[in-house]
Amino acid sequence: MTIKKQASFIFAFSFFLTFFFVTTQGQTQDQPQRNSGETSKQQSKSNNLGGVNEGNMSDAEVQDIVKRMRDSGYSEAELEQAAKVRGMDATQIQQFRDRVKKLENTKKTGTTIEESKKQERSEYKKNTNENDVNVSNRIFGSQFFGSAFSSFEPNLNMPTPANYVIGPSDELLLDLTGDNEVSYKLRVSPESFISIEYIGRVSVGGLTIEQAKNKIKAQMDNTYPSLRSGRTQLSLNLGNIRSIKVIISGEVMKPGTYTLPSITSVFNALYSSGGPNDKGSFRTIQVIRNNKVVATVDLYDFLLNGIQTANIRLQDLDVIHIPIYQIHVDVIGEVKRSMIYEIKQNESLSDILRYAGDFSDNAYKARVKIIQNTFNARKIVVVPLSDFPNYIPKNGDKIYIDSILDKLENKVQINGAVTRPGQFTFKPGLKLSELIKQADGLAPDVFMSNGYIIRLNADNTNSIVSFDLAEVMKGGISDIELERNDVAQISSISDLRDQYTVSIDGEVRRPGSFEFAGNLSVENLIQMAGGFKEGANPADIEISRRIKGADLSKSTTEVAQIFHIAVDSSLRVIDRNFLLQPFDIVSVHPVIGFTPLLKVQVSGEIIRPGVYTIISKNERISDIVKRAGGLTAFAYPEGASLKRPAANIVNTGLDEEEKTIRQLNLARLSENGNDEGKTNPVALVNVSSDLVGIELDKILNNPMSRNDLILKDGDVIVVPSLLQTVKISGEVLRPISVVYEPGRSFRYYINSAGGFTHNAFKKGSFISHSNGSVRGTKRALLFNNYPEVKPGSEISVPRKAERERMSVQSWVGLSTAIASLATLVFAIIRR
């Protein structure tokens, strides 16, 4: 036996023995002094533990045992010896040990009483089929007993009820106050007697607390005369509550015999048993005492109204019997509690709706449909509202309450150019002009010539009813009488035309399109555009206006009209009668000869790096390098680059594959167009960046050549120091950067990266040089001619395009074609 199991056994065994050892001594000490015969007899019964049954003890009593064990002070050996002397056998010890183990597990898992009941109900449902589970969940009242939040534990701290019936093992607290001060703690014997000092034995079994109090007072009057005069008062209360046994049978979740406190009511006992199961009745629960039905409990009184009718206090050996239900009806649909209800023989459909909380807000109340079982099939019964009180449902009825239709039965609608468009109430005889008034009239931009009504036909199709809005507003015969669900559509002028705009571009601060407005002038539009730029020429502003109705059959026909106007420094137009029209285009040209300052930047290994202004229109790269003091001793001119944002020719819509193909084509163009060592600068544009490939060493050696590009605004020239590495990327075994070694071939650097992968597209390999130029691989007969590697270069190896594998059918087709071709060739040779 492991240490854990030994400890568990000793723990259970010890407090079991402690309970009976300590309890017996405590009971002996609590009893008043009796004659020697009675005392000897009582001690003899207490010393015999052979008849002890752990099943008769509640969990509260077991918890009390634990407390007594901790306070006893006895050793385990002493407790074991005492148990043997008092007649306990091994079976009793094992039963009690199992009980303790169960309580320990409950404590470890933290399972509450309510959760245990919920688990027990779940276990019950597991033993039934799925249909039974669904039924059980929908039975009205079942959630009450299965809820983890409801509890019907009896209140053990309540004042003693006056109608409580005293029985054996009850503890009575008798107190005298006044002239005489004395207290007694009296336990009712199995013969229903109590023993009072100086008074003797008094029979109290079967009496209520009030009756027992009067009887005790009558017998104590002679010993305590002041009781008669009222100078001494007597009170009788209940001390420790005895346990009673209650049998719960029938269609219950957990039938059996329960040990409960003597103040337990019917509801307390039902809660302990988990309540009725899915076949049990909630309305005819019987309490049987001495083979007679003393109460019939209808749980609906409590569940619906909170009234605890017939919730009587139980007595020892009472039987609670739950019979099988007689009539179940299922209420489905638009009620506040859609559940299965149990009804009595004389209850009607109105009663069922009351149990279900009545109709919901969206219920169709005029009638309900009932699916009713017959001997061999089912039938539909429709019950109108007026017959609800008279219709008596049958067992198995399914009552369906439909919802109202999700549509408006009395609406018309008006949309468009009215002040408040929307839906309105339809009334017979409603005119269109009246509907417009209900919508607070027409909008200012209303189109008065025409409107239309969309009308729903009897066959659920639509038709159009046109009207002249101007005539409708006059009234008379032109005013249309509306029908239910009509939708009137009134357009505005802006709805029927394009949005009018005017545009301005050129030397203004915020060029663009603006919404046209009446009496819009050129100066207004210039103000909207933020005014002139510095180089604007206000003396010659050009307005383009389209010509409507031009004769396009003639080649000399003009399609636009041009106007020139002047504006002074105060934004006043000399011709004040000139107004803009929709779709005019205003162009503000710059002053002749005005050129903004253009800047370039030079950085890297330059004597005086920085930003320089372009002096002339034809200033070139060699000029700006010279102005910057030339190159330093550490410069690497072959790696110099020119960054020109406008040189990026990449289409942003291209995917990566298309960009790679474009780059390869340009690289090959660069190689093929390099006649006599001359580089085509157009071909050196790097499609993956905004770098322009330049060769600064050749530019400086041969200024004004075609390689010496003219500078543009925003150009950035970067001259690096000597680069010492070469980067290898793409389809190689290990992409890496290696040290540059002069004279080494392309394959040397590929081998330094582990070589090509099996997916490498070798003939598509290319090199991107540090100056931005790209060189591709050329094909010479059966061999690849790889480009030269320079310091700072990046070798890129693309991946082969994935090819679709040939299926079996494709191979068969190819084989058939080859065989046919071979047969044809053989036939020709034979001839």
Side-chain angles (χ1 to χ4, degrees), residues 632-646:
T632 68
F634 303 99
Y636 177 55
E638 293 182 2
S641 62
L642 171 64
K643 184 177 181 180
R644 178 172 291 175

Side-chain angles (χ1 to χ4, degrees), residues 511-757:
S513 296
F514 297 86
E515 186 176 355
F516 175 79
N519 297 321
L520 180 65
S521 64
V522 174
E523 58 263 42
N524 297 144
L525 184 59
I526 294 173
Q527 283 182 307
M528 294 178 184
F532 292 121
K533 287 184 178 179
E534 181 184 359
N537 182 12
D540 184 17
I541 297 177
E542 183 178 280
I543 296 96
S544 303
R545 180 172 297 166
R546 65 183 182 180
I547 298 176
K548 298 180 180 180
D551 186 3
L552 299 180
S553 62
K554 299 179 181 179
S555 59
T556 58
T557 300
E558 294 183 350
V559 294
Q561 189 176 4
I562 304 298
F563 302 92
H564 292 272
I565 63 173
V567 178
D568 61 18
S569 58
S570 301
L571 291 182
R572 293 190 180 93
V573 179
I574 296 175
D575 185 1
R576 291 187 172 275
N577 295 324
F578 186 86
L579 296 176
L580 295 175
Q581 294 184 8
F583 308 110
D584 280 356
I585 299 176
V586 179
S587 299
V588 180
H589 300 299
V591 176
I592 298 176
F594 175 81
T595 302
L597 294 178
L598 307 179
K599 298 178 182 179
V600 295
Q601 182 178 354
V602 184
S603 61
E605 295 298 328
I606 296 291
I607 298 297
R608 292 191 300 273
V611 177
Y612 292 84
T613 302
I614 297 176
I615 298 174
S616 64
K617 292 278 189 179
N618 64 342
E619 189 167 15
R620 298 175 180 267
I621 295 175
S622 58
D623 298 327
I624 204 69
V625 172
K626 184 177 180 180
R627 287 174 57 190
L631 306 180
T632 68
F634 303 99
Y636 177 55
E638 293 182 2
S641 62
L642 171 64
K643 184 177 181 180
R644 178 172 291 175
N648 193 348
I649 65 172
V650 176
N651 185 345
T652 57
L654 298 178
D655 57 22
E656 293 300 324
E657 183 178 358
E658 290 173 329
K659 290 179 182 178
T660 302
I661 295 173
R662 183 78 64 85
Q663 192 171 25
L664 292 173
N665 291 337
L666 288 177
R668 294 191 179 95
L669 179 61
S670 172
E671 291 293 335
N672 297 332
N674 189 9
D675 298 332
E676 299 179 356
K678 297 180 179 179
T679 303
N680 184 355
V682 177
L684 298 181
V685 178
N686 189 332
V687 298
S688 62
S689 69
D690 51 4
L691 293 177
V692 178
I694 62 173
E695 297 182 75
L696 186 58
D697 54 338
K698 295 182 179 180
I699 292 173
L700 296 180
N701 292 331
N702 188 16
M704 303 299 293
S705 65
R706 62 181 298 178
N707 294 326
D708 194 5
L709 301 180
I710 297 174
L711 295 174
K712 293 187 176 182
D713 186 37
D715 280 354
V716 178
I717 299 173
V718 180
V719 182
S721 58
L722 182 62
L723 302 174
Q724 304 179 44
T725 61
V726 175
K727 184 178 180 182
I728 304 98
S729 61
E731 290 300 319
V732 291
L733 293 178
R734 186 185 178 189
I736 194 174
S737 293
V738 299
V739 177
Y740 171 76
E741 295 186 25
R744 292 291 187 178
S745 66
F746 183 94
R747 288 304 297 259
Y748 166 78
Y749 293 102
I750 292 293
N751 292 334
S752 299
F756 292 112
T757 67

Side-chain angles (χ1 to χ4, degrees), residues 163-166 206 208 242-247 258 260-266 287-290 294 312-320:
N163 60 349
Y164 177 79
V165 178
I166 300 172
T208 65
R242 75 181 188 276
S243 297
I244 62 174
K245 291 186 181 298
V246 176
I247 301 171
Y258 289 80
L260 302 170
S262 56
I263 61 172
T264 299
S265 68
V266 177
V287 180
I288 302 172
R289 184 175 299 157
N290 297 326
V294 296
I312 63 174
R313 185 171 289 107
L314 298 174
Q315 296 184 15
D316 192 32
L317 299 180
D318 276 356
V319 176
I320 299 176

